[in-house]
Amino acid sequence: METTTEVIIVGGGFAGVACARELGRRGIRTLLIDKNSYHQFQPLLYQVAASQIGVSEVTRPLRSIFHRTNTVKVLTAEVASIDVNTHSVTTTDGHTYLGRMLVLANGAEANFFDTPGAQEHGYPLYSVRDATRLGTALVSALNTVNNEPEMEHGVRVVVVGGGPTGVEISGAIAESFRYVIPSYFSPEVAEKCSVHLVDMLPNVLPPFDDKSKAYAVKRLTRMGVKLKLGSGVTQITPGSVTFADGANLPADIVVWAGGLKAGRLIAESGLTLGRGGRVDVQPDLKAPGVEGVYVLGDTANMTDARGDKLPQLGSTAQQAGKWAAKNIAAELTGGSTKPFEYVDKGYMAMIGRGSAVAELGRKRRLVHGPIAFAAWLAVHLVLLSGVRQRATALISWAEDYLTHNRSHVVLGRAD
């Protein structure tokens, strides 16, 4: 069975939701397809894994976002294939949907770079399922150590990847070991636990200024995170991580924050692929070589109007989604598209309790410490989808940072 609409959007992330919202505001019939029934706020998934906030704070039902927008229909289904030439999308239940325009914003997946054992034994952190799976594994490992006091070591965590995600999850886990585990288990258990942050590059936070990198290293070290930089991971086994320089680290849990790549749908789309298996889109966010196809978010390598490469950030995806919708509206009415005019808001990374680094705006104004921490909180509250999500996240942060209490139940399975 085939169903026709004006615009089909594959993916309910930042870019897809922003695009659908703008199209809905303009009264354009839109079908938004995602395998999940909810929108997930990826920048805070590491806090779900560390039990700092709950799943409900980072998820919002897609239908609740669009329940007052009659021209946007939400379909919960897994996409089996796409045809960029006919703008058709076929789901795993055999239904095919046709659109005058097609938007691909279906996100990415962990890039293990063919590292032996990484996919089998590493814990990526890109979805709610990833976060709950990692959180469950941490709690399970802590229970094992607590139940076997004769063990010489505690939970040994190795985080692979020194980018913002790696830095944030390292700080969050180290913070838990220092402030939370002593009261939930025992000081003896906490003292035996460790966190290593490793990366093949000689420093952390590659996109940031050297001063921000130095501040991050200082704060992480003070929190007890041990750094091993300048040597890549060559193998991961159930109990260890091996490096190119021959070193070996024992590891009970390996968090993989080593990068992302576009998923299967993009790889099989027939579109020309660039870095990370993503599509190098044109300045107006359209895929090259085909008509009426836009590629956004983590599935695209985007540039601004000046040709500068844009970061894979939530704010970038949101802006791109809204801009693409405006271009789509122009095309549907016989108008012309315009190059994406990106508003650079800078970079941010949390480094534990009351501490963060921020480089604000195109001029990269450097802010570190409590002020950057407050700015981080404010920005993420604004980006969160829904009033209830913002309110509960704020309450959870206050409870966590003021009392060290972790009341959130971690769901999911560790295997």
Side-chain angles (χ1 to χ4, degrees):
M1 184 178 72
E2 295 185 353
T3 303
T4 303
T5 187
E6 288 187 287
V7 182
I8 297 178
I9 300 174
V10 180
F14 285 117
V17 167
C19 187
R21 274 178 162 164
E22 182 64 21
L23 291 172
R25 191 181 69 81
R26 294 168 179 266
I28 297 173
R29 288 187 301 111
T30 302
L31 177 64
L32 176 63
I33 306 175
D34 196 285
K35 65 180 180 180
N36 299 314
S37 62
Y38 53 84
H39 167 72
Q40 57 187 1
F41 190 80
Q42 290 168 327
L44 293 181
L45 290 177
Y46 81 93
Q47 292 197 2
V48 174
S51 299
Q52 292 177 325
I53 60 176
V55 171
S56 61
E57 280 95 312
V58 299
T59 57
R60 185 183 179 191
L62 287 167
R63 287 185 174 84
S64 74
I65 297 176
F66 297 103
H67 75 285
R68 294 182 179 177
T69 310
N70 295 330
T71 55
V72 177
K73 179 182 178 182
V74 174
L75 174 65
T76 302
E78 187 163 359
V79 175
S81 63
I82 56 176
D83 189 324
V84 296
N85 295 306
T86 61
H87 303 163
S88 65
V89 175
T90 301
T91 56
T92 53
D93 59 7
H95 289 82
T96 298
Y97 302 88
L98 302 176
R100 291 179 62 190
M101 311 289 288
L102 176 63
V103 178
L104 302 178
N106 49 303
E109 60 186 40
N111 190 349
F112 296 102
F113 298 99
D114 296 323
T115 305
Q119 186 168 359
E120 295 82 359
H121 308 300
Y123 288 84
L125 195 52
Y126 189 71
S127 68
V128 169
R129 182 184 181 279
D130 290 340
T132 56
R133 180 170 169 261
L134 173 57
T136 301
L138 285 167
V139 173
S140 177
L142 285 165
N143 280 325
T144 298
V145 173
N146 187 65
N147 295 338
E148 301 179 18
E150 69 279 2
M151 290 182 63
E152 294 183 359
H153 63 81
V155 180
R156 300 163 299 187
V157 178
V158 175
V159 178
V160 181
T165 299
V167 167
E168 290 179 332
I169 188 61
S170 297
I173 295 175
E175 189 175 84
S176 295
F177 287 166
R178 172 172 289 193
Y179 296 111
V180 180
I181 302 309
S183 59
Y184 274 69
F185 291 90
S186 71
E188 291 74 24
V189 169
E191 288 175 2
K192 293 193 292 184
C193 295
S194 64
V195 182
H196 279 82
L197 176 61
V198 306
D199 197 290
M200 65 183 297
L201 298 177
N203 217 324
V204 298
L205 299 177
F208 287 72
D209 182 87
D210 287 345
K211 292 182 180 179
S212 297
K213 295 176 183 177
Y215 178 84
V217 168
K218 180 180 178 180
R219 289 294 303 173
L220 288 169
T221 303
R222 185 177 297 177
M223 293 167 63
V225 178
K226 300 175 183 178
L227 302 176
K228 177 172 175 48
L229 305 172
S231 184
V233 173
T234 57
Q235 184 179 16
I236 297 174
T237 70
S240 68
V241 177
T242 304
F243 298 86
D245 61 6
N248 186 281
L249 278 176
D252 302 295
I253 294 177
V254 178
V255 182
W256 188 268
L260 299 171
K261 64 178 181 179
R264 175 188 61 83
L265 287 178
I266 294 297
E268 297 175 357
S269 67
L271 296 172
T272 302
L273 306 181
R275 176 175 49 88
R278 295 181 286 267
V279 178
D280 292 331
V281 296
Q282 299 174 152
D284 61 359
L285 303 175
K286 293 175 66 175
V290 292
E291 292 298 324
V293 179
Y294 289 77
V295 186
L296 310 173
D298 287 338
T299 58
N301 293 320
M302 298 180 287
T303 59
D304 60 15
R306 304 190 308 175
D308 295 332
K309 294 180 180 179
L310 300 181
Q312 305 289 323
L313 299 174
S315 61
T316 309
Q318 280 187 333
Q319 291 183 51
K322 187 173 182 179
W323 194 273
K326 293 178 180 178
N327 278 344
I328 289 170
E331 282 202 86
L332 290 175
T333 56
S336 58
T337 62
K338 295 181 180 180
F340 180 31
E341 294 181 7
Y342 173 62
V343 179
D344 192 340
K345 298 179 180 179
Y347 302 104
M348 287 184 170
M350 173 84 79
I351 318 176
R353 188 177 307 272
S355 179
V357 294
E359 299 184 2
L360 306 177
R362 185 178 292 276
K363 294 185 178 180
R364 297 290 185 265
R365 180 187 176 191
L366 303 184
V367 184
H368 302 153
I371 296 177
F373 176 75
W376 185 96
L377 291 177
V379 167
H380 285 73
L381 276 177
V382 170
L383 286 174
L384 274 169
S385 177
V387 174
R388 187 182 66 81
Q389 283 74 15
R390 296 186 185 106
T392 54
L394 192 59
I395 293 171
S396 296
W397 285 334
E399 181 182 36
D400 180 51
Y401 293 121
L402 293 177
T403 69
H404 305 296
N405 182 38
R406 300 284 169 87
S407 60
H408 300 286
V409 177
V410 177
L411 305 174
R413 297 175 57 183
D415 58 0

